[in-house]
Amino acid sequence: MPITEIVLIIVLILLTPFTIAGLSLINTGLGRSRSAAHSLLASLCIFAVAAGVYVVCGFAWQGYIGAPAHTIVVVGKPWNWLGRGSFFLRGMEFNGTSISLAAWLQIYSVGLAALIPLGACLDRWRLSAACASTALLAGWTYPLFAHWVWGGGWLAQLGINAAMGHGVIDAGGSGTIQAVGGLTALALAWILGPRTGKYSMEGMPTAIPGHNAVLILFGCFLSLVGWLGLNSAGAILFTGAAPGRIALISINTTLAAGAAILAAVVITGARFGRPDVSISANGWVGGLVASSASCAFVSPLAAIVIGAIAGALVTYSVEWFELHLAVDDPGGAISVHALGGIWGLLAVAIFASFPASMVEIGGDSFTTISTRDAGQALAQIVAVATLIGFVLPLTYGLNFALNRIWPQRVVLEGERQGLDLYELGAGAYPDFVTHSEEFGPFR
């Protein structure tokens, strides 16, 4: 790899932590004021655990294109299902090789994925349980699916072995990062149950607004900066996109976010009489999420359409999950990341066009391939089916078992006091009254 390309990728990876900072602020602003410090501390702890566990064993399971892996032969064709690397990144040469840069990028990527469930579990997720759940995600769930898509695994091999286009394409992680994190958020929201006071005795949801719109909106700006690096570095390292496509990737990422927030503002304004800040902000992030998979392979016009649809989906799905499935998701993590990520994967099949020089990620070497294939849609659908049919049950089962061993939800008194006081002994805003008594005739 040329030194100029190495330097470029390093700069892009250095931008990626802004996604973590942005999402942390958004989650904190969307939660109650009496759990604000807990939310930010949990974000730091979750990232620390995710990074540590991923270095210990996660990257060994994930691997990289062409690295050693476990394979099985089905109908005469080898299918790669799990990486076979060394724990603690042993034996890796940190000299600008693609695999070392990928490992570095993935430390931030798995941290971002691990932060997503926090948004759905705000105000009721114990700090120690959040760290334990993160270890499961970073040590097994995330690396497994990431290997299948980015490590030359069987989803990437669908192009070579089953004539499904180029195999699953997910340049910046709509499915690998966002949907995995979002489906984990759904599993945990089911296990934890809604916040006390969220639903009346008749089962109707009660609005519990976020406490700080400034944090939410500032987090949106930081997220954009991080997503520019994440999408660009991911497209180069995992789909073989040319560095010259960074301009297109950045334009598409920005346009998708802009179209998403405008769609959310228009829809909430029409439905409620005035725009809703929290839903509009979630629309912005939903646009970023949906842009990731196809960011290097669609036109700016397509990026606008992808973002607008993502923003519209968020405005309706938040209410649908809350009203019809009784899923209490304060941060909108399920709608933004799970649904937005799935839409991003499907958008590849609808809008993407691939250059002839693109890397065949399912193989062990770089080759040139045709510009388009009708089987691409089927490959993307297989990825979505794998997420819903395998990853969701897997992450639910792991966290359900963990909940039996180490209860994930704080006790009622802790929820009443707020997690700041109950788990940390001090509030984020000691000079202000942070809550009133709201535990009335609710279940």
Side-chain angles (χ1 to χ4, degrees):
M1 184 182 294
I3 186 64
T4 54
E5 188 172 336
I6 293 173
V7 172
L8 178 61
I9 294 174
I10 288 173
V11 172
L12 294 172
I13 295 175
L14 287 173
L15 293 177
T16 305
F18 284 103
T19 59
I20 296 168
L23 187 58
S24 298
L25 290 177
I26 292 170
N27 286 339
T28 300
L30 288 169
R32 289 181 170 118
S33 58
R34 60 176 179 259
S35 297
H38 186 276
S39 176
L40 280 176
L41 179 62
S43 297
L44 288 171
C45 292
I46 285 170
F47 174 72
V49 171
V53 173
Y54 187 78
V55 167
V56 171
C57 63
F59 191 74
W61 307 136
Q62 179 178 337
Y64 190 63
I65 304 165
H70 297 281
T71 61
I72 57 175
V73 177
V74 179
V75 195
K77 295 182 178 180
W79 295 90
N80 185 331
W81 66 279
L82 187 66
R84 189 160 50 87
S86 299
F87 291 171
F88 295 97
L89 305 183
R90 288 177 304 176
M92 184 178 295
E93 296 182 1
F94 297 96
N95 55 2
T97 58
S98 295
I99 189 171
S100 64
L101 293 172
W104 181 22
L105 174 63
Q106 285 301 284
I107 288 174
Y108 299 124
S109 299
V110 72
L112 177 59
L115 274 181
I116 293 169
L118 181 61
C121 303
L122 290 171
D123 303 319
R124 62 203 192 280
W125 204 15
R126 296 171 60 220
L127 180 60
S128 60
C131 292
S133 177
T134 296
L136 296 176
L137 183 145
W140 183 243
T141 311
Y142 177 91
L144 185 63
F145 190 79
H147 174 75
W148 293 346
V149 177
W150 284 341
W154 70 273
L155 287 175
Q157 291 178 306
L158 289 174
I160 293 175
N161 289 350
M164 294 185 188
H166 308 303
V168 174
I169 298 296
D170 186 13
S174 287
T176 311
I177 300 172
Q178 311 300 331
V180 168
L183 292 173
T184 302
L186 175 59
L188 284 163
W190 273 333
I191 292 169
L192 290 174
R195 290 168 291 177
T196 304
K198 177 63 180 177
Y199 290 91
S200 67
M201 296 302 293
E202 292 75 28
M204 294 301 295
T206 301
I208 304 177
H211 84 278
N212 195 321
V214 175
L215 289 181
I216 298 169
L217 297 175
F218 182 59
C220 288
F221 283 108
L222 290 181
S223 295
L224 173 62
V225 176
W227 241 275
L228 296 177
L230 176 65
N231 283 354
S232 298
I236 294 171
L237 290 172
F238 298 123
T239 65
R245 287 200 164 233
I246 290 176
L248 176 65
I249 294 168
S250 300
I251 290 170
N252 286 343
T253 302
T254 305
L255 290 175
I261 195 170
L262 290 177
V265 165
V266 170
I267 293 173
T268 56
R271 295 183 67 196
F272 309 134
R274 50 179 62 89
D276 183 278
V277 171
S278 62
I279 294 179
S280 298
N282 272 334
W284 171 274
V285 182
L288 293 173
V289 168
S291 74
S292 291
S294 61
C295 56
F297 308 112
V298 297
S299 68
L301 177 59
I304 292 173
V305 175
I306 291 170
I309 292 175
L313 286 173
V314 168
T315 61
Y316 290 104
S317 64
V318 167
E319 178 182 338
W320 188 80
F321 275 107
E322 186 177 274
L323 185 61
H324 297 287
L325 293 183
V327 174
D328 183 15
D329 179 8
I334 300 164
S335 299
V336 172
H337 299 277
L339 192 60
I342 288 171
W343 161 237
L345 285 175
L346 296 176
V348 172
I350 300 171
F351 298 104
S353 180
F354 304 103
S357 59
M358 181 181 159
V359 174
E360 178 57 80
I361 60 175
D364 292 335
S365 61
F366 294 155
T367 59
T368 58
I369 51 180
S370 60
T371 57
R372 205 169 183 87
D373 193 296
Q376 191 64 50
L378 187 55
Q380 301 301 118
I381 291 171
V382 171
V384 172
T386 303
L387 284 165
I388 297 173
F390 179 80
V391 173
L392 178 58
L394 173 65
T395 191
Y396 182 88
L398 290 174
N399 282 285
F400 182 83
L402 175 64
N403 190 53
R404 292 301 184 95
I405 301 169
W406 193 259
Q408 305 223 27
R409 180 163 182 155
V410 72
V411 297
L412 180 60
E413 181 58 28
E415 195 175 350
R416 184 187 301 272
Q417 289 182 17
L419 299 185
D420 285 358
L421 288 175
Y422 187 77
E423 289 216 296
L424 307 181
Y429 309 104
D431 295 335
F432 301 94
V433 176
T434 58
H435 70 281
S436 59
E437 182 58 58
E438 57 190 41
F439 291 85
F442 300 96
R443 62 180 175 87

